[in-house]
Amino acid sequence: MSLMNDKIQELEARRSKVSLGGGEKAIEKQKAMGKLTARERIEALLDEGSFYEFDMFVKHDGREFGMLDKELASDGVVVGTGKINGQPVAIFAQDFTVVGGSLGLAHAREITKVMDFAMKMKMPLIGINDSGGARIQEGVNALAGYGEIFLRNTQASGVIPQISVILGPCAGGAVYSPALTDFVFVVDGVSKMFITGPDVIKTVLGEEIGQEELGGARVHAEITGNAHFFAESESECFLQIRKLISMIPPSNTEPAEVIPTQLPEAKYDMASIVPADPTIPYDVRDVVKAIVDESDFLEVMELFAANIVVGFGRVGGQTVGFVCNQPLVLAGVLDCDSSDKAARFIRFCDAFNIPIVTLEDLPGYLPGVDQEHMGVIRHGAKMLYAYSEASVPKITVILRKAYGGGYIAMNSRHLGADFVYAWPTAEIAVMGAEGAANIVFRKEILAAEDPEAMRKQKIAEYKEKFANPYVAAGKGYVDTVIKPSETREYVLMSLAASLKKEEPTPKKKHGIPPF
Ligand code: HXC
């Protein structure tokens, strides 16, 4: 056998040893938890055969607590590059079979290297997290590793899309790095996220709590808002990621792929979706589906703050971000969580040059002590800031109610909307006619012989005067009043008209959003 063959055989042996991660027993344990291995996950997510691994032979730096004698395959993380729908991506996947996927310094350096690669090559970064966080045995070196990742997450923010997938019990840095990224994916029964795990809670507080209850997938998709996409299985999660990648740009210097225009499905008939009576709810996602190509809408944070709907769709082949009040939930009011959700989405769209379409139908902000004490002023201000700051094309369609602060906040002309359209059913006023009549005409109503008849008369007067789109259109705050059936056409025209939009912004290092 030639020397070359010997060398090749040695390489193959090394490759297959590393590919076994923490070994067969550890893999069995991983499978018993219903999880794929790190390499299987990458294979399942990327285009078939497209993955090329880097840093397979990296050695760990641990010295203490018996670590010196341990061989840790690739120091517990698989990194490299591959493709999704033919588009290059950079990827890392932590390997729980190797010391619980914990992060030592060499492990961290593999991640920061692939992050730097993604930034240089301007491709999305996907991180599959399955890790107990900083490797306890490595002490401050492990903490240093996470710090270097956080720094890069922040520097990459707004330059390349960063996607985090939580596929195991993730603690400490393994959740803080994802929290700095743009989209977090979780899988029911598999994903757990916490800063301090159940063991620490038991030690410090003496309280027993299960991983699922503390930070399972549903907790983060529905309650905390840490997760943006929820799936029932790893394979469903990978399909969601592939879909998202197809919709968003690979970096802030390139657009998302433009695909040939398709019509929305005929079953989404705009004229019949929204009841003219402003008290009757409907699903605003049906309105979105009547606008977007093929009625294909990718909703983001579907289970969190459902009173606002955000997500991506294509109009005329071009990716657009939608921000919509949802009359089905809490009548579509704005509150702390929905403001946070919308603000963050708007900033993503703005950073990646994705035009924003706002569909408006809301009675205003949610009143109450709870909201005030949770800081609705501070949270609501985030959304005002995000819309005002965004320089991408901004299109608003007022479907029905646009009352009070809600009218201003939902991308009004006054916050810099480029196009504002209203349906004939739009009511643009400081508040609803009933509330307004009760306050403004209280004395006349009380003094009347028949107060109820007087109340009705005053409500009708107020409606006649203000509960329509024509007062705002008369002042140019609304550009024109359109038929519901004309909505897609007007959105298409607005997008085409704003292809070269430029908006001067004052010179500054950066603003100070009300985080
Ligand atoms: C070293 C770790 C580890 C860690 C897990 N392991 N986490 N080893 N450092 N951080 C090891 C375990 O010892 C075990 O090894 C194997 O991984 C599997 O872990 P189990 O505990 O058996 O699994 P499970 O019961 O599913 O629990 C998973 C877990 C738990 C919830 C993640 O292991 C845990 O609480 N780990 C510690 C979490 C933590 O506090 N990390 C530090 C965070 S500080 P064996 O050999 O027994 O199989 C941090 C700094 C950044 O990350 C902070 C940001 C601001």
Side-chain angles (χ1 to χ4, degrees), residues 311-378:
F312 300 105
R314 280 193 166 86
V315 185
Q318 183 187 356
T319 294
V320 170
F322 283 86
V323 179
C324 322
N325 307 121
Q326 173 57 292
L328 267 191
V329 181
L330 292 172
V333 288
L334 286 173
D335 58 6
C336 297
D337 285 345
S338 60
S339 301
D340 281 7
K341 172 175 164 179
R344 190 178 156 119
F345 182 75
I346 292 162
R347 293 199 103 210
F348 179 86
C349 290
D350 192 43
F352 288 95
N353 308 306
I354 298 171
I356 300 166
V357 172
T358 300
L359 301 181
E360 179 171 0
D361 185 353
L362 84 165
Y365 283 85
L366 181 63
V369 178
D370 276 0
Q371 283 294 308
E372 297 293 343
H373 288 192
M374 277 166 69
V376 69
I377 298 173
R378 182 166 56 87

Side-chain angles (χ1 to χ4, degrees), residues 169-298:
C170 290
V175 294
Y176 260 135
S177 170
L180 289 167
T181 65
D182 302 313
F183 299 103
V184 175
F185 288 73
V186 291
V187 174
D188 200 18
V190 173
S191 315
K192 279 105 191 170
M193 302 173 77
F194 23 74
I195 294 302
T196 53
D199 292 347
V200 180
I201 291 180
K202 193 168 175 203
T203 311
V204 177
L205 304 173
E207 289 171 13
E208 297 259 8
I209 185 161
Q211 286 186 10
E212 187 69 35
E213 198 189 339
L214 179 62
R218 279 203 180 272
V219 169
H220 291 297
E222 291 174 5
I223 301 172
T224 67
N226 283 329
H228 301 79
F229 291 92
F230 174 90
E232 300 288 347
S233 65
E234 294 197 17
S235 52
E236 187 193 349
C237 170
F238 298 149
L239 287 176
Q240 290 174 342
I241 297 168
R242 291 178 65 86
K243 174 94 189 180
L244 177 67
I245 290 281
S246 77
M247 286 271 189
I248 60 176
S251 76
N252 66 345
T253 55
E254 276 176 87
E257 189 190 1
V258 177
I259 61 169
T261 307
Q262 303 285 333
L263 287 175
E265 288 172 20
K267 69 176 174 181
Y268 296 103
D269 171 25
M270 195 68 97
S272 61
I273 296 169
V274 180
D277 178 345
T279 61
I280 302 177
Y282 60 92
D283 190 341
V284 75
R285 291 172 294 194
D286 290 341
V287 181
V288 177
K289 287 177 189 167
I291 297 175
V292 295
D293 296 2
E294 289 185 280
S295 302
D296 188 10
F297 177 52
L298 178 65

Side-chain angles (χ1 to χ4, degrees), residues 96 99-100 102 132-137 143 150 169 171-173 176 194 211:
F96 197 79
V99 216
S102 59
R135 187 173 300 148
I136 296 162
Q137 297 91 326
L143 300 179
F150 300 163
Y176 260 135
F194 23 74
Q211 286 186 10

